[in-house]
Amino acid sequence: MTTPHVPPTPRSPAAAPSGQPSRTVGDESIGSRLSQAAMAVVLAVISVMLLLTTHRLEAGLLGVDLPVGLLFGAALQVVICLFLWAATGSRFPLLVLGCLWGVLAVPFLGEGVGGGVLLPAALGDQVQYSGWIVQGIGLVVPFAAAAAITLARRRRTRTR
């Protein structure tokens, strides 16, 4: 039994002109980039709201206070980054997320980094490192995920 001939589609490697790489779903058009940016904007707003409001949560376990708010924040950022990459196949929304996170968090910082209502630099005489850590989580995780994806792609192309 023979299969009918199917003409190549714009996304198939056979349709790419010789010498040029084929395009993937993540880098096709302005519309797809705008939808990727929109997804990143919505998830950045959600991420900032959740991380800033929960970063000071602690839970006691066997006499040790665990920073569950920071652990939740780190896990949330990783899940958001994995979702954006899996849904789009592109690093672009990860970069948008990382850039927007800092911009969206600025109104809550007060006079300086780590000094505001939700992110106090100090309470009394005790320095509040959780504010600095949550800002690091919000900014570093998306860029680290984009870097890891880039390195993995380069490693794959070298082995081929």
Side-chain angles (χ1 to χ4, degrees), residues 42-64:
V42 169
L43 290 173
V45 169
I46 292 169
S47 172
V48 167
M49 290 188 321
L50 287 174
L51 267 68
L52 292 182
T53 56
T54 63
H55 77 279
R56 294 180 46 95
L57 292 176
E58 292 182 349
L61 181 67
L62 301 174
V64 178

Side-chain angles (χ1 to χ4, degrees), residues 138-153:
L139 294 170
V140 171
V141 170
F143 293 119
I149 292 167
T150 301
L151 292 174
R153 283 184 180 173

Side-chain angles (χ1 to χ4, degrees), residues 67 93 123:
L123 291 176

